[in-house]
Structure formats: structure tokens, C-alpha cells
């Protein structure tokens, strides 16, 4: 005696009714997508609108964000906006440290000095 789940029964009944016959592509391999074996991850990245650094472990993502801070600061209009940018980043670093070990590789992540970022921002505005 075998136990048939609800889903298995639905599939069996559909087969008996012939609902799986003459389907387009029946008996053929699934088409290969561009990008090789990892086509599915590329499709996920595109569908979700992700960027490469968003897929990194948290510590590496924060390091990458730190590298991009001077560029992001250039888009700020006021010193207060630059300081808020630094504060947001430093909060993210503090949260990652608080979450602790075991969330990816043990890579040190440093906070950014808001005054240094403001100086970089000022230097970029007044060549």
C-alpha cells in the first residue's frame, strides 16, 4: 500500500486526462541561457536589480561601500549631507560588528572619519 499526497494525486489525474501531452518542447532539453552554467544567477541579478557588491558577504560589501564614499559624497550639496552619509556608513559598520562573527569571512571593517570625508568633499568642489 502506498500513500499518495494531494499534489501527487493532482499530477496523476492530470496525466490520466492527457494534460501533459503535446506540450511545446516536450522531449527536448531545456534551452541554454547566455552566461554558461550560472545563467540562473545572472537572471536573478537582472530580475532583482542587484549590483555585484550587493552579493558580497557583509564585511566585503561594507569595504566596497567605503571605497565608494568619496564618489557618493561628490553628489552631496552640503557638508551636513556629507556628514550624514558618513554617519549612515558608520551605523552600518557598527551593526555588522554587533552581529558578530560567523557571518562571512572575518575581515576587519573600519569606520570612516566624517571630517576626512568632508575634507575630500571640499577638495573635490574647489579644484
Amino acid at each position: 500500500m502506498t500513500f499518495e499526497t494531494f499534489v501527487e494525486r493532482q499530477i496523476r489525474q492530470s496525466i490520466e486526462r492527457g494534460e501533459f501531452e503535446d506540450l511545446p518542447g516536450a522531449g527536448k532539453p531545456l534551452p541554454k541561457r547566455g552566461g554558461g552554467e550560472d545563467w540562473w544567477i545572472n537572471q536573478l541579478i537582472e530580475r532583482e536589480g542587484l549590483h555585484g557588491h550587493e552579493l558580497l558577504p557583509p564585511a566585503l560589501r561594507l569595504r566596497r561601500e567605503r571605497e565608494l564614499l568619496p564618489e557618493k559624497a561628490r553628489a552631496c550639496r552640503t557638508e551636513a549631507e556629507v556628514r550624514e552619509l558618513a554617519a549612515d556608513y558608520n551605523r552600518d559598520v557598527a551593526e555588522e560588528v554587533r552581529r558578530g562573527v560567523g557571518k562571512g569571512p572575518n575581515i576587519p571593517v573600519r569606520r570612516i572619519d566624517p571630517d576626512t570625508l568632508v575634507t575630500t568633499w571640499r577638495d573635490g568642489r574647489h579644484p
Side-chain angles (χ1 to χ4, degrees):
M1 180 191 279
T2 61
F3 177 75
E4 183 177 54
T5 67
F6 173 78
V7 173
E8 291 169 333
R9 184 173 58 251
Q10 296 297 315
I11 292 170
R12 182 183 49 75
Q13 290 172 347
S14 294
I15 291 170
E16 289 171 358
R17 288 189 300 265
E19 293 178 12
F20 293 114
E21 293 177 11
D22 298 324
L23 292 175
K28 298 179 184 172
L30 292 174
K32 288 212 175 211
R33 311 275 185 176
E37 294 178 9
D38 295 334
W39 63 267
W40 60 273
I41 191 77
N42 294 329
Q43 194 175 50
L44 172 71
I45 290 168
E46 184 178 323
R47 183 179 63 239
E48 300 297 324
L50 300 173
H51 299 90
H53 70 278
E54 294 170 331
L55 302 172
L56 294 172
L60 291 177
R61 180 183 49 76
L62 285 169
R63 282 184 133 188
R64 178 66 179 139
E65 285 180 21
R66 189 176 201 281
E67 291 172 4
L68 297 174
L69 281 175
E71 183 180 326
K72 287 182 178 181
R74 276 188 240 128
C76 294
R77 293 174 296 167
T78 65
E79 180 178 322
E81 288 179 9
V82 176
R83 290 187 180 281
E84 184 60 31
L85 182 67
D88 288 345
Y89 173 79
N90 287 338
R91 270 192 295 275
D92 290 346
V93 169
E95 180 61 30
E96 181 57 29
V97 169
R98 204 173 6 264
R99 271 188 256 166
V101 182
K103 304 280 186 190
N106 187 14
I107 299 170
V109 180
R110 295 179 302 145
R111 297 168 56 115
I112 190 157
D113 177 33
D115 293 331
T116 302
L117 189 58
V118 167
T119 300
T120 303
W121 172 75
R122 282 186 187 142
D123 292 346
R125 291 177 59 88
H126 306 289

